[in-house]
Amino acid sequence: MPELPEVETTRRGIEPHLAGRRVTAVTLRRADLRWPIPREVSALLPGQRIEAVERRAKYLLLHTQVGSALLHLGMSGMLRVLPPDTPVGPHDHVDIALARGTHEGPRVLRFTDPRRFGCLLWQPPGTTHELLAKLGPEPLTDAFDGDLLWHLSRGRSAAVKLFLMDNAIVVGVGNIYASEALFAAGIDPRREAGSVSRARYARLAAEVKRILAWAIERGGTTLRDFLNPDGAPGYFFRELMVYGRAGELCKVCGTPIRQVTLGQRSTFWCQRCQR
């Protein structure tokens, strides 16, 4: 599943082609993805100018005056900006046609989703969609820091990795990046969240920010199906310290990387470097 850096990479890739351009048509090749596609998408979006492309957690919002199209890439979804005569593939479910821009001709924003776990929904103006209403802060903003983690973790017995991956605490710290941030901060992912000190949470928050920012610049981890908007894979995956390296030697101390399942997710750590 694309994680926050992959989704942010997608946003940065498509926004220059979308912002300020008028939608001329919406083509839906099926009525649903994970959920039914609301009629507002095809009824209200054509004729509107896209004012901005925003990311909230792993969702993308195409903002217009009459509302916002809300997209999620699901397990294997992909958004590409293409010439309108590009042949349609079997899993190309949605085309949002765009008028000619300042520096390029007409284009289509094509949503491809082989597994159909993604979604295309609608958010009326002045409202917050229910999927976004209870989300925690963005990890790359000032609203997220070690003090927040420390305060919210008091009295919690859940493993710190599961706590960090809770979208009500902070959004977008998925399985890969939680494992990597905990390694960088020297914290055992199995440790109870309520037992981690304020100072260690300060370091963990800093490492989350550093690793996510670095991953965005490197194009994300690209496990399985995900590609950048230009079709090129991300390369951060090659630089992971613990994730997916069970049995291999720690790059810092030489101890074999261990693996355990927490919350039905594979978790990787170094028993010597992480306490």
Side-chain angles (χ1 to χ4, degrees), residues 100-115:
R100 180 181 299 274
T102 304
H103 302 294
E104 63 183 4
R107 292 289 186 267
V108 295
L109 177 66
R110 180 161 293 170
F111 189 3
T112 304
D113 188 5
R115 303 180 194 178

Side-chain angles (χ1 to χ4, degrees), residues 239-261:
E239 302 171 21
L240 297 178
M241 298 295 286
V242 290
Y243 188 88
R245 300 188 64 244
E248 298 180 32
L249 300 184
C250 174
K251 296 178 182 180
V252 174
C253 73
T255 301
I257 299 298
R258 301 186 68 181
Q259 179 179 357
V260 71
T261 300

Side-chain angles (χ1 to χ4, degrees), residues 185-217:
I187 300 173
D188 188 323
R190 304 167 300 167
R191 178 180 288 277
E192 290 188 4
S195 71
V196 178
S197 71
R198 196 172 202 150
R200 299 188 83 192
Y201 269 129
R203 182 177 177 187
L204 178 59
E207 293 296 348
V208 167
K209 290 175 182 284
R210 179 186 66 81
I211 288 171
L212 287 176
W214 178 242
I216 290 168
E217 294 305 316

Side-chain angles (χ1 to χ4, degrees), residues 77-258:
M78 176 167 43
L79 289 170
R80 293 171 295 161
V81 178
L82 303 168
D85 58 353
T86 302
V88 175
H91 304 298
D92 294 339
H93 303 307
V94 178
D95 276 359
I96 298 176
L98 305 165
R100 180 181 299 274
T102 304
H103 302 294
E104 63 183 4
R107 292 289 186 267
V108 295
L109 177 66
R110 180 161 293 170
F111 189 3
T112 304
D113 188 5
R115 303 180 194 178
R116 300 202 303 275
F117 286 144
C119 69
L120 173 55
L121 303 172
W122 187 257
Q123 177 177 277
T127 68
T128 300
H129 195 280
E130 61 181 340
L131 292 174
L132 310 181
K134 296 182 180 181
L135 294 176
E138 290 286 332
L140 296 178
T141 65
D142 292 340
F144 172 68
D145 59 17
D147 285 342
L148 174 77
L149 292 176
W150 186 80
H151 281 295
L152 294 180
S153 66
R154 296 307 87 190
R156 298 213 180 193
S157 59
V160 64
K161 178 170 176 277
L162 300 181
F163 170 74
L164 186 62
M165 292 176 60
D166 185 345
N167 279 328
I169 303 299
V170 58
V171 301
V173 186
N175 194 35
I176 299 169
Y177 300 104
S179 292
E180 292 296 303
L182 286 162
F183 174 79
I187 300 173
D188 188 323
R190 304 167 300 167
R191 178 180 288 277
E192 290 188 4
S195 71
V196 178
S197 71
R198 196 172 202 150
R200 299 188 83 192
Y201 269 129
R203 182 177 177 187
L204 178 59
E207 293 296 348
V208 167
K209 290 175 182 284
R210 179 186 66 81
I211 288 171
L212 287 176
W214 178 242
I216 290 168
E217 294 305 316
R218 299 292 285 166
T221 50
T222 311
L223 294 177
R224 299 181 181 172
D225 302 313
F226 185 79
L227 295 176
N228 288 343
D230 61 1
Y235 291 98
F236 183 77
F237 182 61
R238 300 177 183 178
E239 302 171 21
L240 297 178
M241 298 295 286
V242 290
Y243 188 88
R245 300 188 64 244
E248 298 180 32
L249 300 184
C250 174
K251 296 178 182 180
V252 174
C253 73
T255 301
I257 299 298
R258 301 186 68 181

Side-chain angles (χ1 to χ4, degrees), residues 70-82:
L70 176 68
L71 301 106
H72 193 288
L73 298 178
M75 295 292 291
S76 59
M78 176 167 43
L79 289 170
R80 293 171 295 161
V81 178
L82 303 168

